[in-house]
Amino acid sequence: MNISESASLSESVREFILLGFPCSREIQVILFMFFSIVYLLTLIGNGAIICAVCWDQHLHTPMYILLGNFAFLEIWYVNSTVPNTLINFLSESKAISFTGCFLQLYFFFSMGSTECFFLSAMSFGRYFAICRPLNYATIMTGRRCFNLVIACWVCGFLWYLVPVILISQLPFCGPNAIDHFVCDSGPLLTLSCVPAPMSKLTSYTLSALIILLSFLFILISYALVLLAVLRLPSASSRQKAFSTCGSHLAVVLLFYGTIMVMHVSPGSSHSTLLPKIMTLFYAMVTPLVNPLIYSLRNKDMKKALWKVLEKFKISFKVFGSRHRRNVGLSGLV
């Protein structure tokens, strides 16, 4: 196939159809309501963490700065897929433009890569805080924390750029139906009119590398943390540390377990439903539970969140009193 033929075939598909969850209209509405609730709770939970870290001076430390950035990332992670999914639940066409599909693919995978980097950075910080507490302040300075945050964002957004460009240059001549609720690399490679071994190899290799290397780094960090915890003299301190690390590891295992099934084992035979369920877990469930796991088990964060809640209560009271006063004045006029 020459270049002109490839270009003409690529132009033949101008949009894709995201089939999502084929079911009756009533079930679609129920799913829309359920996904909307999960989406709003995710925004509220992670938004509260960002407000707490920004407003409380006691939380302007490397550990909480990383947590605030992580919460900000989770908000954009769900925004890369969920709004379009909600629209498709109520839409008849379920279409997404060619450009929109590849933008979603890029941001979805970039956010996922950035999450891997941030989880690694947070485990790195936790290791030094517990295993090297005397050196933590000198190692994790404000400047180094800033550089670490920037590195996570930049590396995350550059990591999957090449595969997205390669896949977008493939010819798509139909069919254009993607049996998923997001634009994923696997279904797009399947829809290509020509075999794309280089694009497939590049996509698989980069996905496997970021997932496996970051997961291994996190496991080693937590293994060293647990060894340090076992040396603690107090049983209550050991129990508290085990409880905290156990909850963090549960979220890490949930996130990495699902993405490994999806992106580290491409040769395995997935049913049409399994990829959707796996994607739901790492794209919607983990951003929802992360604020609970990483914040509500932390006394300083709970205090800061209560302060945020009090500020909102005061703001609502002031707004309500002004509204009633304005209504009263307009009635007198």
Side-chain angles (χ1 to χ4, degrees), residues 49-68:
I49 291 176
I50 295 171
C51 292
V53 173
C54 290
W55 293 347
D56 196 322
Q57 296 291 329
H58 297 95
L59 300 185
H60 291 180
T61 60
M63 181 175 70
Y64 292 109
I65 290 172
L66 285 172
L67 182 59

Side-chain angles (χ1 to χ4, degrees), residues 294-324:
Y294 283 99
S295 303
L296 296 184
R297 302 184 69 89
N298 185 299
K299 290 182 179 180
D300 294 332
M301 181 57 71
K302 282 193 285 189
K303 289 180 181 178
L305 289 173
W306 277 114
K307 290 180 182 179
V308 171
L309 184 61
E310 289 297 325
K311 283 187 178 183
F312 275 109
K313 284 183 178 179
I314 293 172
S315 299
F316 280 127
K317 286 180 180 179
V318 171
F319 176 78
S321 62
R322 287 179 178 176
H323 178 70
R324 287 193 296 270

Side-chain angles (χ1 to χ4, degrees), residues 34-172:
F34 175 73
F35 277 48
S36 297
I37 293 171
V38 172
Y39 176 60
L40 290 174
L41 290 176
T42 303
L43 295 183
I44 292 171
N46 287 285
I49 291 176
I50 295 171
C51 292
V53 173
C54 290
W55 293 347
D56 196 322
Q57 296 291 329
H58 297 95
L59 300 185
H60 291 180
T61 60
M63 181 175 70
Y64 292 109
I65 290 172
L66 285 172
L67 182 59
N69 276 270
F70 188 68
F72 182 73
L73 167 67
E74 295 290 53
I75 289 177
W76 287 105
Y77 195 23
V78 295
N79 276 323
S80 66
T81 57
V82 177
N84 187 70
T85 303
L86 293 175
I87 292 172
N88 284 344
F89 278 132
L90 304 180
S91 173
E92 294 294 337
S93 65
K94 304 185 187 302
I96 183 171
S97 68
F98 186 93
T99 303
C101 184
F102 280 95
L103 282 175
Q104 185 185 72
L105 173 68
Y106 172 68
F107 282 106
F108 183 53
F109 274 79
S110 295
M111 297 293 176
S113 301
T114 307
E115 180 152 346
C116 291
F117 283 114
F118 265 109
L119 287 172
S120 301
M122 291 166 72
S123 69
F124 174 76
R126 192 165 287 108
Y127 161 75
F128 275 104
I130 296 177
C131 300
R132 304 288 178 87
L134 298 178
N135 300 326
Y136 180 74
T138 56
I139 294 173
M140 191 64 78
T141 61
R143 183 174 182 81
R144 285 178 180 168
C145 178
F146 176 79
N147 292 336
L148 186 61
V149 168
I150 296 299
C152 288
W153 283 106
V154 172
C155 292
F157 274 79
L158 290 178
W159 190 266
Y160 208 76
L161 181 60
V162 171
V164 172
I165 294 174
L166 290 176
I167 298 172
S168 67
Q169 298 303 309
L170 294 175
F172 296 94

